[in-house]
């Protein structure tokens, strides 16, 4: 019988390998763009069961060229499938971890690198493989972080495998556009290629995962760092609209965009007017970042919310009142500038809202009911979950503190910064915010409701299937906010607008005072910024 407190710790083989294989239409499109001449050398660093190799052979036949293909794959079964599908037609295969094979293979250098690198999140990235990858990255000047996903290392090292003038054609998680750990990669791409095209999709194109992807097409690789790289973006509905003439028309009829250090690439998909004003305004001297006045940290990681966050019935059944503190774990329960007693009571009616917090209690103080509940948890295997079993006392949740406010981690319509008026805790679906100086949090919270901050949340955050936008703590601290402690906002009025579901009225009010009067922007500037927010918001909400 499975536990009623189901764990998220287990990962299947596919997740551990990151093996989500590429739809044929995407592989064909990338190979059609990348393969151009006879006798070119092509590398597929993670060939899986052979989708890209098969597409390469198909496109080569159409173009009447004879490329030399090297395919690398760590999984024995998958490389065997790839060979069988492709009939061993002049393909050199290497059954090895790409990072282990790198040292020997990089000596050859290739005209083209194609593929779909494995998407393995940092917690599943094999330690030995990661250490080898990071050693290679440090050798070529990168400073990798342990939070990085495996795909980034694949792309970074694939660039090093290219000859001068070489081409890179890959399916990449859309995290490339904005995550911090991909920042060095973004810089390397524009410094070492003449031209980059990013192809995005309005709908999800991988049938089995809720992951947005982009196609990265980079050409004109060069060893020396360049000053200018032309970047073009294309957005199509889905894979069925991938046609060669779409790319040609875009490059021919739209002006290239250019990056600056530290820039998030999500903004490339904006209209030119919105792109330009956002780039200009974010350097405004009167603008601050949220991290200048507040720290943002993840909410409480219980290890099993279904056990540690209890409803009124369980609290009373096991006599847990003495050991519980109020907690909020749903952004839907936090929908205005302040989280007060009224909001908490509304939350408690709908959701479990009591955190079992045993910090500071000795076992001698445990009630009979609490002991029974802990025993029940052990019978259900809660203590065996990873986050619980690594604690000295599995039932004692660490890092329980009350923050000044909350910030949405997972965002649907728009972000919100909320004053924690009742001193509630929050789970890790919501970030904890603590002020760094003595200022009025209500004014900060109201200042957060503006078109510029909303637009940048879309640029800094990462989106997933179902239209959810996620902001990590560091990304949250990077958000620009036009706060000034000497400017008064009617927080009751802003709250009234939000409670009535009229976010546009709230934006109009705050934008006028902070963006126009304080920063000196024109109404036209504000309209372009508002349009940027709406465009990026709608782009993710409609991608299902």
């Amino acid at each position: 019988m499975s536990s009623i407190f189901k764990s998220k710790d287990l990962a299947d083989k596919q997740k551990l390998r990151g093996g989500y294989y590429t739809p044929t239409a995407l592989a064909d499109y990338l190979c059609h763009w990348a393969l151009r001449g006879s006798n070119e050398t092509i590398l597929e660093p993670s060939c899986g069961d052979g989708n890209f190799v098969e597409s390469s052979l198909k496109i080569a036949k159409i173009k009447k060229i004879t490329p030399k293909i090297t395919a690398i794959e760590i999984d024995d079964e998958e490389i065997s499938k790839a060979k069988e599908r492709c009939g061993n037609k002049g393909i050199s295969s290497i059954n090895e971890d790409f990072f282990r094979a790198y040292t020997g293979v990089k000596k050859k250098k290739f005209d083209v690198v194609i593929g779909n690198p494995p998407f393995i999140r940092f917690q599943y990235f094999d330690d030995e493989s990661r250490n080898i990858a990071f050693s290679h990255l440090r050798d070529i000047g990168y400073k990798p972080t342990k939070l990085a996903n495996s795909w980034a290392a694949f792309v970074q090292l694939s660039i090093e495998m290219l000859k001068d003038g070489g081409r890179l054609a890959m399916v990449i998680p859309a995290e490339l556009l904005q995550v911090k750990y991909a920042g060095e990669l973004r810089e390397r791409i524009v410094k070492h290629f003449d031209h980059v095209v990013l192809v995005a999709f309005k709908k999800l194109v991988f049938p089995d995962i809720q992951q947005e992807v982009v196609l990265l097409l980079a050409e004109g690789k060069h060893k020396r760092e360049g000053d200018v790289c032309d970047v073009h973006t294309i957005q199509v509905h889905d894979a069925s609209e991938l046609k060669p003439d779409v790319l040609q028309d875009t490059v021919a009829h739209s002006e290239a965009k250019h990056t600056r250090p530290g820039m998030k690439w999500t903004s490339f998909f904006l209209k030119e007017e919105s792109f330009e004003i956002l780039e200009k305004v974010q350097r405004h001297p009167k603008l601050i970042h949220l991290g200048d006045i507040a720290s943002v940290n993840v909410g409480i990681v219980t290890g099993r919310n279904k056990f540690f966050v209890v409803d009124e019935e369980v609290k009373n059944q096991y006599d847990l009142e003495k050991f519980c503190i109020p907690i909020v774990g749903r952004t839907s329960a936090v929908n205005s500038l302040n989280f007060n007693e009224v909001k908490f009571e509304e939350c408690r009616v709908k959701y479990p809202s009591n955190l079992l917090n045993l910090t500071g209690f000795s076992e001698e103080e445990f009630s009979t009911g609490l002991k029974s509940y802990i025993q029940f948890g052990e019978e259900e295997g809660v203590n065996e979950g990873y986050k619980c079993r690594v604690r000295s006392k599995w039932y004692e949740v660490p890092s329980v503190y009350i923050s000044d406010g909350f910030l949405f981690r997972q965002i649907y319509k728009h972000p919100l910064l909320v004053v924690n008026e009742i001193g509630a805790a929050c789970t890790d679906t919501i970030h904890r915010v603590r002020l760094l100086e003595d200022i009025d949090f209500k004014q900060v919270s109201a200042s957060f409701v503006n078109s510029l901050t909303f637009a940048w949340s879309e640029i800094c955050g990462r989106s997933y299937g179902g239209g959810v936008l996620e902001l990590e703590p560091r990304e949250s601290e990077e958000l620009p906010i036009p706060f000034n402690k000497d400017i008064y906002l009617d927080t009751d009025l802003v709250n009234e607008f939000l409670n009535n579901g009229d976010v546009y009225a709230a934006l109009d009010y705050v934008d006028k005072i902070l963006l126009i009067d304080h920063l000196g922007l024109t109404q036209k500037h504000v309209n372009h910024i508002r349009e940027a927010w709406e465009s990026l918001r709608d782009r993710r909400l409609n991608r299902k």
Side-chain angles (χ1 to χ4, degrees):
M1 182 181 294
S2 62
S3 171
I4 61 171
F5 304 117
K6 189 176 179 181
S7 175
K8 295 181 181 179
D9 291 340
L10 299 178
D12 60 24
K13 181 181 178 183
Q14 187 178 44
K15 181 178 288 186
L16 293 173
R17 287 185 54 250
Y20 301 99
Y21 297 142
T22 312
T24 301
L26 273 64
D28 286 353
Y29 182 79
L30 289 171
C31 290
H32 187 278
W33 176 85
L35 275 61
R36 300 181 185 178
S38 284
N39 299 316
E40 285 190 325
T41 52
I42 299 172
L43 173 67
E44 216 292 35
S46 56
C47 79
D49 64 358
N51 279 19
F52 271 95
V53 176
E54 187 174 61
S55 289
S56 295
L57 293 173
K58 178 168 55 178
I59 298 301
K61 185 176 181 180
I62 293 171
K63 293 189 173 186
K64 298 180 180 180
I65 56 179
T66 54
K68 298 174 183 177
I69 303 172
T70 299
I72 303 175
E73 172 56 40
I74 189 174
D75 190 276
D76 299 358
E77 294 180 8
E78 297 303 296
I79 195 73
S80 296
K81 291 178 186 176
K83 290 178 181 179
E84 186 177 338
R85 286 176 66 182
C86 303
N88 291 304
K89 299 176 182 177
I91 299 168
S92 172
S93 62
I94 301 173
N95 184 195
E96 180 62 278
D97 178 358
F98 170 64
F99 303 129
R100 289 182 181 277
Y102 172 79
T103 301
V105 177
K106 74 173 182 178
K107 298 173 184 177
K108 299 178 182 179
K109 297 292 183 181
F110 295 85
D111 296 295
V112 176
V113 179
I114 57 174
N116 171 16
F119 186 86
I120 306 173
R121 293 198 180 280
F122 71 92
Q123 64 265 46
Y124 302 123
F125 199 166
D126 177 74
D127 286 342
E128 185 177 356
S129 182
R130 175 170 51 199
N131 290 339
I132 294 171
F134 282 11
S135 177
H136 293 321
L137 291 174
R138 293 187 187 101
D139 287 344
I140 55 177
Y142 285 100
K143 297 176 181 177
T145 166
K146 286 192 175 182
L147 295 178
N149 191 299
S150 65
W151 69 262
F154 264 81
V155 180
Q156 288 164 323
L157 294 176
S158 291
I159 293 172
E160 299 304 309
M161 308 285 255
L162 285 170
K163 298 177 181 177
D164 279 0
R167 301 179 293 282
L168 183 74
M170 284 189 157
V171 184
I172 306 290
E175 292 182 358
L176 167 71
L177 305 177
Q178 77 279 358
V179 294
K180 197 172 188 69
Y181 70 73
E184 285 186 307
L185 174 57
R186 292 193 292 269
E187 296 295 313
R188 188 69 62 107
I189 289 171
V190 295
K191 286 181 179 179
H192 289 277
F193 288 95
D194 292 329
H195 184 215
V196 171
V197 177
L198 298 167
V199 182
F201 301 91
K202 294 179 181 178
K203 298 295 180 181
L204 297 173
V205 293
F206 276 70
D208 300 324
I209 55 171
Q210 297 288 297
Q211 174 66 51
E212 182 193 359
V213 300
V214 295
L215 305 186
L216 172 64
L217 298 85
E219 60 185 327
K221 199 267 184 166
H222 44 82
K223 288 181 181 177
R224 289 189 176 183
E225 292 187 358
D227 295 326
V228 178
C229 173
D230 290 341
V231 180
H232 285 90
T233 56
I234 300 172
Q235 195 160 210
V236 296
H237 184 77
D238 55 27
S240 67
E241 292 186 359
L242 286 174
K243 310 293 181 186
D245 58 343
V246 173
L247 189 153
Q248 295 165 4
D249 290 346
T250 299
V251 173
H253 298 105
S254 65
E255 189 173 335
K257 293 176 181 176
H258 303 98
T259 70
R260 57 171 174 76
M263 179 178 167
K264 309 280 188 175
W265 285 8
T266 310
S267 57
F268 279 146
F269 291 92
L270 296 171
K271 290 181 179 179
E272 190 64 33
E273 299 87 349
S274 296
F275 176 82
E276 288 181 355
I277 189 62
L278 277 174
E279 282 298 293
K280 180 180 178 180
V281 172
Q282 65 92 25
R283 296 189 291 272
H284 196 291
K286 291 184 179 180
L287 203 61
I288 65 170
H289 294 93
L290 181 59
D292 294 330
I293 57 174
S295 65
V296 181
N297 292 286
V298 295
I300 296 167
V301 179
T302 67
R304 202 75 63 86
N305 283 349
K306 287 186 177 180
F307 176 83
F308 289 101
V309 181
V310 302
D311 58 21
E312 295 302 302
E313 181 181 353
V314 171
K315 184 181 75 172
N316 294 330
Q317 178 183 350
Y318 289 94
D319 189 24
L320 303 177
E321 176 74 37
K322 174 183 176 182
F323 309 101
C324 287
I325 62 173
I327 190 168
V328 59
R330 302 289 185 100
T331 54
S332 58
V334 187
N335 54 9
S336 61
L337 295 185
N338 57 325
F339 189 68
N340 54 26
E341 289 286 354
V342 174
K343 293 291 182 182
F344 180 69
E345 288 304 317
E346 292 174 357
C347 175
R348 184 154 56 180
V349 170
K350 296 180 180 179
Y351 314 112
S353 301
N354 304 284
L355 173 67
L356 183 61
N357 178 29
L358 300 180
T359 302
F361 288 100
S362 65
E363 292 186 9
E364 288 74 21
E365 296 176 272
F366 288 5
S367 65
T368 302
L370 173 59
K371 292 177 182 177
S372 296
Y373 190 63
I374 291 173
Q375 182 180 350
F376 176 52
E378 291 173 347
E379 291 170 356
E380 291 291 329
V382 178
N383 58 314
E384 296 173 1
Y386 174 73
K387 291 183 177 68
C388 292
R389 70 172 182 263
V390 297
R391 298 171 185 161
S392 57
K393 297 178 181 178
W394 73 265
Y395 47 76
E396 193 168 296
V397 177
S399 187
V400 176
Y401 66 82
I402 306 304
S403 57
D404 299 314
F406 307 128
L407 179 67
F408 287 2
R409 174 184 175 183
Q410 295 181 327
I411 299 159
Y412 191 63
K413 291 184 177 179
H414 59 81
L416 204 60
L417 183 62
V418 180
V419 183
N420 182 12
E421 291 189 356
I422 69 161
C426 66
T427 67
D428 60 349
T429 57
I430 298 171
H431 292 320
R432 293 180 282 189
V433 181
R434 292 197 286 193
L435 293 176
L436 300 177
E437 53 187 275
D438 185 17
I439 50 179
D440 188 341
F441 203 151
K442 287 185 179 179
Q443 290 295 317
V444 177
S445 179
S447 299
F448 196 84
V449 185
N450 69 86
S451 295
L452 179 61
T453 304
F454 279 19
W456 269 96
S457 70
E458 298 287 343
I459 292 170
C460 290
R462 63 195 80 179
S463 63
Y464 296 101
V468 175
L469 179 73
E470 184 167 303
L471 279 171
E472 293 300 333
R474 284 187 181 180
E475 296 161 349
S476 303
E477 291 179 351
E478 291 174 2
L479 292 176
I481 178 171
F483 171 74
N484 185 300
K485 62 183 180 181
D486 296 324
I487 296 177
Y488 173 79
L489 295 172
D490 187 338
T491 57
D492 290 336
L493 180 61
V494 176
N495 225 4
E496 182 181 340
F497 289 140
L498 293 177
N499 285 327
N500 291 335
D502 194 350
V503 67
Y504 281 96
L507 288 172
D508 288 343
Y509 170 74
V510 179
D511 284 353
K512 173 64 172 66
I513 296 173
L514 295 183
L515 300 188
I516 296 176
D517 296 344
H518 176 48
L519 297 188
L521 304 184
T522 66
Q523 185 62 56
K524 185 177 181 181
H525 290 153
V526 173
N527 292 344
H528 285 315
I529 293 170
R530 179 86 59 89
E531 184 181 351
W533 167 59
E534 292 172 330
S535 173
L536 295 176
R537 177 203 62 190
D538 293 346
R539 178 173 173 265
R540 66 174 169 82
L541 290 177
N542 293 326
R543 191 189 307 109
K544 297 179 182 178

